[in-house]
Amino acid sequence: MATFKQRVFSGVQPSGNLTVGNYLGAIKNWVGLQESHETIFCVVDLHAITVWQDPDVLRDATREVAAGMIASGIDPKKSIIFNQSQVSAHAELAWIFNCVARMGWLNRMTQFKEKAGKHKERASVGLYVYPDLMAADILAYQATHVPVGADQKQHLELTRDIAQKFNSDYGVEFFPEVEPLIFGEATRVMSLRDGKAKMSKSDPSENSRINLTDDRDLIAKKIRKARTDSEPLPGSMDELEGRAEAKNLINIFAALSGRKAGEVCSEYEGQGFADFKGDLADLSVEVLGPITEEMARLMADKTYLDSILREGSDNADKVASPILREVQDIVGFLRP
Ligand code: TYM
C-alpha cells in the first residue's frame, strides 16, 4: 500500500442546534488533533439539504456551526474551517462515487433507514446517496483519519469500500484506507428522555438534548428533568446493565470532567440520582457555559465568521482541486 500524508477530516451538519452529543462525541476530540495533525473541519451544508432546510435558517445555522467549532477550541489559524458547498470538489467527486458504490451497499445503511422511516419512496435521492457524498468529503483531501461519534462508523466503512473499489477498478493506489477515530467516554450520547435513542439535533423533544446555545438555567433544568431510575449509583459501570439512562448520565459526566466513567461511578457509589444530577448540572454549566457565551459573541460578528469560512474554502480548495484533477485523469475524463 502506498503511504499517505496523515490528514484529519471531519464534518458537522448545519441542520439544527449543535448538541452536547456533537461536542463530546466529535468536536471536543478534534481540538487536541490540531496539535499533531493537519486538520480540516467542514460544515456540511450539501448534506443538510438532503432533508428540507429553510434557506435563511440554513445560512445562519452554517455560521452557528462554525461559531460552535471555534468556541470549542478549533483555531482557524491551525485548522481549515469551511462550508462544503463552496468547494466544488465535494459534489464532483460524489458523482464519481455514485458510479463506484453499489446499490446493495447503500441499501444496508442504517442511517438512511432511520431517517427515511416508513416513507422510503418519499425520501430525497440525496438522502439515499448521502454516504457517497460523505466518502467524497473525506477522500477529496485523501484524508487518513476521521474523528467522529460512534453513529458514523458504518458510513466510514462504506468510505473504505468505495476507496478500495475505486483503487482496484482503476488499478491504482490513489485513495487511502481511512481510519475512524472514535474515542472518549461519550462516543454515543443518548437522549435525556430515552436512554435507548441517540441524542439528536432533530429530536422533536427539546428536553431530550442539551444544545450548545442553551443558557445556564436551561441546561440545569434539562438535567434535573432527565429520566433516571430510582436505584442508587453502583460502584462500577459493569453493574449498569439495563440502566441505559443512568449509564448515559455517568458517561456525560465522565466526558465533561475528563475522567473515566468507572471513576465517576465509584465516587458516587450508593448515592441517589438527585445529588448526582445537581453536580452534573453544575459541571455542565461550568464546561458548556463559556462555549455558549463565546458562540453568542461570535454570532454577533457575522463578518468575522464569514471571513473565516471564506478563507477556509480557499485553502480547502487548494488541497482538493489537484486531487480531483488526478481523479479525472485516472477515470479518463479528457481535460483538453
Ligand atoms: P452530524 O452532523 O449528525 O454530527 C456531527 C458529529 O457529531 C457526532 N454525534 C454524536 N456523537 C456522540 N453522541 C451523539 N448523540 C452524537 N450525535 C452526533 C457525529 O458522530 C459526528 O461525528 N454524516 C455526518 C457529517 C459528515 C461527516 C463527513 C463526518 C459529513 N461528511 C465526513 C465525517 C467526515 C453527520 O451527519 O454528522
Side-chain angles (χ1 to χ4, degrees):
M1 192 69 190
T3 48
F4 291 90
K5 182 177 190 291
Q6 292 211 350
R7 187 176 278 149
V8 167
F9 182 96
S10 202
V12 180
Q13 291 196 68
S15 53
N17 289 316
L18 286 174
T19 71
V20 74
N22 298 130
Y23 175 66
L24 294 176
I27 302 173
K28 181 176 188 277
N29 291 342
W30 302 352
V31 178
L33 291 166
Q34 297 180 109
E35 308 308 326
S36 49
H37 288 76
E38 183 185 339
T39 40
I40 305 176
F41 300 118
C42 184
V43 187
V44 294
D45 48 7
L46 297 174
H47 275 113
I49 63 159
T50 56
V51 298
W52 169 251
Q53 304 293 331
D54 178 276
D56 287 330
V57 175
L58 179 62
R59 262 184 284 275
D60 248 11
T62 301
R63 293 187 180 108
E64 196 171 277
V65 171
M69 289 180 185
I70 299 168
S72 303
I74 304 301
D75 179 351
K77 292 199 183 70
K78 293 182 184 156
S79 297
I80 294 178
I81 303 174
F82 74 109
N83 57 318
Q84 190 186 26
S85 59
Q86 300 309 297
V87 177
S88 62
H90 293 251
E92 292 181 58
L93 188 57
W95 177 257
I96 294 171
F97 287 169
N98 283 343
C99 304
V100 173
R102 305 290 96 182
M103 296 281 283
W105 300 358
L106 291 176
N107 286 339
R108 284 195 285 277
M109 294 295 111
T110 52
Q111 187 166 303
F112 175 76
K113 289 181 199 161
E114 279 161 24
K115 286 202 175 170
K118 286 190 205 103
H119 307 291
K120 230 168 57 189
E121 281 70 25
R122 274 193 261 154
S124 74
V125 177
L127 191 66
Y128 185 68
V129 293
Y130 178 118
D132 294 349
L133 176 58
M134 187 161 155
D137 296 341
I138 298 163
L139 295 172
Y141 301 89
Q142 291 178 321
T144 52
H145 293 80
V146 183
V148 285
D151 61 331
Q152 296 302 315
K153 192 161 178 270
Q154 194 186 33
H155 286 158
L156 294 183
E157 280 159 11
L158 186 92
T159 299
R160 289 164 71 111
D161 289 344
I162 289 176
Q164 231 169 48
K165 181 159 162 52
F166 180 95
N167 286 347
S168 103
D169 284 355
Y170 291 102
V172 291
E173 288 190 8
F174 189 72
F175 288 123
E177 215 168 83
V178 170
E179 206 182 300
L181 298 177
I182 301 173
F183 61 97
E185 291 299 287
T187 55
R188 190 171 170 81
V189 177
M190 309 310 281
S191 154
L192 299 180
R193 306 301 307 158
D194 173 3
K196 292 192 182 62
K198 189 184 77 175
M199 182 182 285
S200 157
K201 304 179 191 104
S202 53
D203 192 314
S205 161
E206 262 298 318
N207 285 329
S208 70
R209 63 179 162 265
I210 296 171
N211 300 313
L212 291 192
T213 47
D214 290 349
D215 64 21
R216 288 161 190 265
D217 290 346
L218 193 54
I219 294 175
K221 188 179 130 224
K222 286 180 178 176
I223 290 177
R224 264 199 318 276
K225 285 187 131 188
R227 216 170 118 183
T228 39
D229 53 48
S230 52
E231 300 289 309
L233 274 92
S236 75
M237 291 301 278
D238 301 339
E239 297 165 67
L240 279 170
E241 208 46 55
R243 297 176 65 187
E245 284 87 7
K247 200 168 168 183
N248 187 39
L249 292 187
I250 294 167
N251 283 335
I252 294 175
F253 193 113
L256 285 171
S257 60
R259 293 159 64 192
K260 293 274 166 225
E263 269 176 51
V264 176
C265 255
S266 53
E267 187 186 323
Y268 283 89
E269 180 172 9
Q271 296 191 36
F273 267 95
D275 291 343
F276 177 80
K277 277 183 175 177
D279 289 357
L280 178 57
D282 290 346
L283 173 66
S284 305
V285 166
E286 187 188 313
V287 176
L288 303 176
I291 297 176
T292 308
E293 281 152 27
E294 181 62 6
M295 272 176 81
R297 199 186 65 75
L298 289 165
M299 282 303 282
D301 190 352
K302 295 196 167 114
T303 313
Y304 169 75
L305 284 175
D306 289 1
S307 75
I308 295 293
L309 288 169
R310 200 173 320 114
E311 198 187 329
S313 301
D314 288 347
N315 289 331
D317 190 60
K318 284 189 190 117
V319 183
S321 278
I323 294 173
L324 183 71
R325 277 196 291 275
E326 279 193 69
V327 175
Q328 292 183 340
D329 289 340
I330 292 169
V331 171
F333 293 162
L334 182 67
R335 293 195 293 119

